[in-house]
mmCIF file of all heavy atoms in Angstrom:
data_model
loop_
_atom_site.group_PDB
_atom_site.id
_atom_site.type_symbol
_atom_site.label_atom_id
_atom_site.label_comp_id
_atom_site.label_asym_id
_atom_site.label_seq_id
_atom_site.Cartn_x
_atom_site.Cartn_y
_atom_site.Cartn_z
ATOM 1 N N GLU A 57 -23.055 12.850 -42.961
ATOM 2 C CA GLU A 57 -23.659 13.651 -44.042
ATOM 3 C C GLU A 57 -23.281 13.130 -45.419
ATOM 4 O O GLU A 57 -22.114 12.890 -45.691
ATOM 5 C CB GLU A 57 -23.198 15.115 -43.925
ATOM 6 C CG GLU A 57 -24.032 15.943 -42.977
ATOM 7 C CD GLU A 57 -23.428 17.309 -42.722
ATOM 8 O OE1 GLU A 57 -22.793 17.850 -43.646
ATOM 9 O OE2 GLU A 57 -23.566 17.808 -41.590
ATOM 10 N N GLY A 58 -24.309 12.965 -46.236
ATOM 11 C CA GLY A 58 -24.081 12.571 -47.619
ATOM 12 C C GLY A 58 -23.784 11.083 -47.801
ATOM 13 O O GLY A 58 -23.603 10.633 -48.926
ATOM 14 N N LEU A 59 -23.729 10.316 -46.695
ATOM 15 C CA LEU A 59 -23.423 8.893 -46.828
ATOM 16 C C LEU A 59 -24.695 8.064 -46.998
ATOM 17 O O LEU A 59 -25.709 8.363 -46.374
ATOM 18 C CB LEU A 59 -22.667 8.405 -45.590
ATOM 19 C CG LEU A 59 -21.256 8.952 -45.375
ATOM 20 C CD1 LEU A 59 -20.679 8.425 -44.070
ATOM 21 C CD2 LEU A 59 -20.347 8.582 -46.538
ATOM 22 N N GLU A 60 -24.602 7.039 -47.802
ATOM 23 C CA GLU A 60 -25.730 6.121 -47.985
ATOM 24 C C GLU A 60 -25.432 4.798 -47.289
ATOM 25 O O GLU A 60 -24.298 4.518 -46.938
ATOM 26 C CB GLU A 60 -25.961 5.881 -49.473
ATOM 27 C CG GLU A 60 -26.498 7.130 -50.180
ATOM 28 C CD GLU A 60 -26.653 6.920 -51.671
ATOM 29 O OE1 GLU A 60 -26.379 5.808 -52.146
ATOM 30 O OE2 GLU A 60 -27.040 7.897 -52.337
ATOM 31 N N ASP A 61 -26.486 4.032 -47.100
ATOM 32 C CA ASP A 61 -26.361 2.688 -46.505
ATOM 33 C C ASP A 61 -25.730 2.699 -45.118
ATOM 34 O O ASP A 61 -24.923 1.822 -44.765
ATOM 35 C CB ASP A 61 -25.537 1.745 -47.419
ATOM 36 C CG ASP A 61 -26.106 1.662 -48.811
ATOM 37 O OD1 ASP A 61 -27.352 1.713 -48.940
ATOM 38 O OD2 ASP A 61 -25.323 1.569 -49.758
ATOM 39 N N LEU A 62 -26.070 3.716 -44.332
ATOM 40 C CA LEU A 62 -25.539 3.767 -42.968
ATOM 41 C C LEU A 62 -26.176 2.674 -42.104
ATOM 42 O O LEU A 62 -27.378 2.419 -42.202
ATOM 43 C CB LEU A 62 -25.833 5.128 -42.339
ATOM 44 C CG LEU A 62 -24.949 6.301 -42.797
ATOM 45 C CD1 LEU A 62 -25.526 7.609 -42.293
ATOM 46 C CD2 LEU A 62 -23.520 6.120 -42.309
ATOM 47 N N ILE A 63 -25.365 2.038 -41.292
ATOM 48 C CA ILE A 63 -25.886 1.094 -40.293
ATOM 49 C C ILE A 63 -25.977 1.870 -38.975
ATOM 50 O O ILE A 63 -24.950 2.204 -38.380
ATOM 51 C CB ILE A 63 -24.951 -0.128 -40.125
ATOM 52 C CG1 ILE A 63 -24.745 -0.830 -41.477
ATOM 53 C CG2 ILE A 63 -25.495 -1.092 -39.079
ATOM 54 C CD1 ILE A 63 -23.615 -1.847 -41.482
ATOM 55 N N VAL A 64 -27.207 2.208 -38.583
ATOM 56 C CA VAL A 64 -27.387 3.047 -37.400
ATOM 57 C C VAL A 64 -27.430 2.162 -36.160
ATOM 58 O O VAL A 64 -28.250 1.243 -36.063
ATOM 59 C CB VAL A 64 -28.679 3.875 -37.513
ATOM 60 C CG1 VAL A 64 -28.861 4.769 -36.268
ATOM 61 C CG2 VAL A 64 -28.653 4.733 -38.779
ATOM 62 N N VAL A 65 -26.525 2.406 -35.212
ATOM 63 C CA VAL A 65 -26.496 1.629 -33.967
ATOM 64 C C VAL A 65 -26.611 2.572 -32.784
ATOM 65 O O VAL A 65 -26.071 3.675 -32.797
ATOM 66 C CB VAL A 65 -25.215 0.763 -33.842
ATOM 67 C CG1 VAL A 65 -25.218 -0.356 -34.864
ATOM 68 C CG2 VAL A 65 -23.953 1.598 -33.982
ATOM 69 N N GLU A 66 -27.316 2.113 -31.760
ATOM 70 C CA GLU A 66 -27.536 2.958 -30.586
ATOM 71 C C GLU A 66 -26.548 2.595 -29.488
ATOM 72 O O GLU A 66 -26.546 1.447 -29.019
ATOM 73 C CB GLU A 66 -28.967 2.769 -30.096
ATOM 74 C CG GLU A 66 -29.339 3.815 -29.073
ATOM 75 C CD GLU A 66 -30.822 4.171 -29.140
ATOM 76 O OE1 GLU A 66 -31.404 4.149 -30.242
ATOM 77 O OE2 GLU A 66 -31.380 4.438 -28.083
ATOM 78 N N GLY A 67 -25.708 3.548 -29.101
ATOM 79 C CA GLY A 67 -24.744 3.282 -28.028
ATOM 80 C C GLY A 67 -23.372 3.819 -28.382
ATOM 81 O O GLY A 67 -23.237 4.736 -29.179
ATOM 82 N N PHE A 68 -22.360 3.224 -27.746
ATOM 83 C CA PHE A 68 -20.974 3.660 -27.924
ATOM 84 C C PHE A 68 -20.218 2.610 -28.728
ATOM 85 O O PHE A 68 -20.248 1.439 -28.381
ATOM 86 C CB PHE A 68 -20.263 3.799 -26.561
ATOM 87 C CG PHE A 68 -20.962 4.693 -25.568
ATOM 88 C CD1 PHE A 68 -20.865 4.420 -24.202
ATOM 89 C CD2 PHE A 68 -21.683 5.803 -25.979
ATOM 90 C CE1 PHE A 68 -21.486 5.240 -23.268
ATOM 91 C CE2 PHE A 68 -22.312 6.643 -25.053
ATOM 92 C CZ PHE A 68 -22.216 6.355 -23.692
ATOM 93 N N LEU A 69 -19.523 3.055 -29.762
ATOM 94 C CA LEU A 69 -18.648 2.144 -30.493
ATOM 95 C C LEU A 69 -17.226 2.293 -29.968
ATOM 96 O O LEU A 69 -16.750 3.401 -29.767
ATOM 97 C CB LEU A 69 -18.615 2.510 -31.984
ATOM 98 C CG LEU A 69 -19.705 2.016 -32.917
ATOM 99 C CD1 LEU A 69 -19.298 2.350 -34.365
ATOM 100 C CD2 LEU A 69 -19.969 0.536 -32.768
ATOM 101 N N CYS A 70 -16.569 1.161 -29.747
ATOM 102 C CA CYS A 70 -15.155 1.235 -29.351
ATOM 103 C C CYS A 70 -14.421 0.031 -29.931
ATOM 104 O O CYS A 70 -15.037 -0.962 -30.326
ATOM 105 C CB CYS A 70 -15.003 1.311 -27.835
ATOM 106 S SG CYS A 70 -15.318 -0.219 -26.956
ATOM 107 N N PRO A 71 -13.096 0.110 -29.998
ATOM 108 C CA PRO A 71 -12.316 -1.024 -30.520
ATOM 109 C C PRO A 71 -12.436 -2.247 -29.603
ATOM 110 O O PRO A 71 -12.864 -2.142 -28.455
ATOM 111 C CB PRO A 71 -10.875 -0.493 -30.523
ATOM 112 C CG PRO A 71 -10.974 0.990 -30.388
ATOM 113 C CD PRO A 71 -12.235 1.248 -29.620
ATOM 114 N N GLY A 72 -12.012 -3.388 -30.119
ATOM 115 C CA GLY A 72 -11.992 -4.624 -29.326
ATOM 116 C C GLY A 72 -11.155 -4.445 -28.075
ATOM 117 O O GLY A 72 -10.183 -3.686 -28.055
ATOM 118 N N PHE A 73 -11.554 -5.162 -27.023
ATOM 119 C CA PHE A 73 -10.879 -5.016 -25.721
ATOM 120 C C PHE A 73 -9.638 -5.911 -25.642
ATOM 121 O O PHE A 73 -9.607 -7.004 -26.206
ATOM 122 C CB PHE A 73 -11.829 -5.412 -24.588
ATOM 123 C CG PHE A 73 -12.993 -4.483 -24.405
ATOM 124 C CD1 PHE A 73 -14.271 -5.000 -24.194
ATOM 125 C CD2 PHE A 73 -12.828 -3.112 -24.444
ATOM 126 C CE1 PHE A 73 -15.359 -4.151 -24.016
ATOM 127 C CE2 PHE A 73 -13.904 -2.247 -24.266
ATOM 128 C CZ PHE A 73 -15.178 -2.766 -24.059
ATOM 129 N N ILE A 74 -8.675 -5.434 -24.858
ATOM 130 C CA ILE A 74 -7.485 -6.219 -24.554
ATOM 131 C C ILE A 74 -7.596 -6.649 -23.090
ATOM 132 O O ILE A 74 -7.679 -5.806 -22.192
ATOM 133 C CB ILE A 74 -6.191 -5.386 -24.726
ATOM 134 C CG1 ILE A 74 -6.208 -4.573 -26.036
ATOM 135 C CG2 ILE A 74 -4.964 -6.294 -24.616
ATOM 136 C CD1 ILE A 74 -6.245 -5.364 -27.308
ATOM 137 N N ASN A 75 -7.606 -7.946 -22.867
ATOM 138 C CA ASN A 75 -7.593 -8.479 -21.497
ATOM 139 C C ASN A 75 -6.131 -8.669 -21.092
ATOM 140 O O ASN A 75 -5.482 -9.636 -21.482
ATOM 141 C CB ASN A 75 -8.357 -9.801 -21.454
ATOM 142 C CG ASN A 75 -8.452 -10.352 -20.046
ATOM 143 O OD1 ASN A 75 -7.916 -9.773 -19.099
ATOM 144 N ND2 ASN A 75 -9.141 -11.480 -19.898
ATOM 145 N N SER A 76 -5.614 -7.721 -20.315
ATOM 146 C CA SER A 76 -4.174 -7.699 -20.048
ATOM 147 C C SER A 76 -3.727 -8.673 -18.967
ATOM 148 O O SER A 76 -2.514 -8.805 -18.721
ATOM 149 C CB SER A 76 -3.736 -6.277 -19.662
ATOM 150 O OG SER A 76 -3.913 -5.417 -20.762
ATOM 151 N N HIS A 77 -4.681 -9.321 -18.301
ATOM 152 C CA HIS A 77 -4.282 -10.287 -17.275
ATOM 153 C C HIS A 77 -5.350 -11.365 -17.092
ATOM 154 O O HIS A 77 -6.450 -11.083 -16.632
ATOM 155 C CB HIS A 77 -4.017 -9.597 -15.944
ATOM 156 C CG HIS A 77 -3.530 -10.539 -14.874
ATOM 157 N ND1 HIS A 77 -2.237 -11.008 -14.839
ATOM 158 C CD2 HIS A 77 -4.156 -11.133 -13.830
ATOM 159 C CE1 HIS A 77 -2.095 -11.821 -13.813
ATOM 160 N NE2 HIS A 77 -3.243 -11.927 -13.185
ATOM 161 N N CYS A 78 -4.998 -12.580 -17.466
ATOM 162 C CA CYS A 78 -5.939 -13.700 -17.354
ATOM 163 C C CYS A 78 -5.130 -14.943 -17.005
ATOM 164 O O CYS A 78 -3.906 -14.950 -17.088
ATOM 165 C CB CYS A 78 -6.664 -13.873 -18.692
ATOM 166 S SG CYS A 78 -8.020 -15.058 -18.651
ATOM 167 N N HIS A 79 -5.820 -15.975 -16.534
ATOM 168 C CA HIS A 79 -5.193 -17.296 -16.333
ATOM 169 C C HIS A 79 -6.175 -18.299 -16.940
ATOM 170 O O HIS A 79 -7.028 -18.841 -16.231
ATOM 171 C CB HIS A 79 -5.042 -17.668 -14.854
ATOM 172 C CG HIS A 79 -4.269 -16.748 -13.979
ATOM 173 N ND1 HIS A 79 -3.116 -17.134 -13.336
ATOM 174 C CD2 HIS A 79 -4.495 -15.471 -13.592
ATOM 175 C CE1 HIS A 79 -2.663 -16.130 -12.580
ATOM 176 N NE2 HIS A 79 -3.488 -15.123 -12.719
ATOM 177 N N LEU A 80 -6.056 -18.527 -18.240
ATOM 178 C CA LEU A 80 -6.974 -19.458 -18.904
ATOM 179 C C LEU A 80 -6.937 -20.838 -18.239
ATOM 180 O O LEU A 80 -7.962 -21.516 -18.123
ATOM 181 C CB LEU A 80 -6.572 -19.568 -20.376
ATOM 182 C CG LEU A 80 -7.653 -19.834 -21.404
ATOM 183 C CD1 LEU A 80 -8.821 -18.881 -21.280
ATOM 184 C CD2 LEU A 80 -7.067 -19.773 -22.805
ATOM 185 N N GLU A 81 -5.753 -21.232 -17.769
ATOM 186 C CA GLU A 81 -5.567 -22.561 -17.145
ATOM 187 C C GLU A 81 -6.449 -22.800 -15.925
ATOM 188 O O GLU A 81 -6.654 -23.933 -15.529
ATOM 189 C CB GLU A 81 -4.120 -22.680 -16.622
ATOM 190 C CG GLU A 81 -3.095 -22.944 -17.644
ATOM 191 C CD GLU A 81 -1.688 -22.861 -17.029
ATOM 192 O OE1 GLU A 81 -1.558 -22.782 -15.790
ATOM 193 O OE2 GLU A 81 -0.741 -22.903 -17.806
#
Side-chain angles (χ1 to χ4, degrees):
E57 275 171 33
L59 293 177
E60 291 177 2
D61 304 325
L62 284 169
I63 303 168
V64 180
V65 291
E66 192 148 327
F68 306 148
L69 277 189
C70 74
F73 293 136
I74 315 296
N75 183 357
S76 295
H77 183 77
C78 188
H79 303 242
L80 211 51
E81 282 173 10

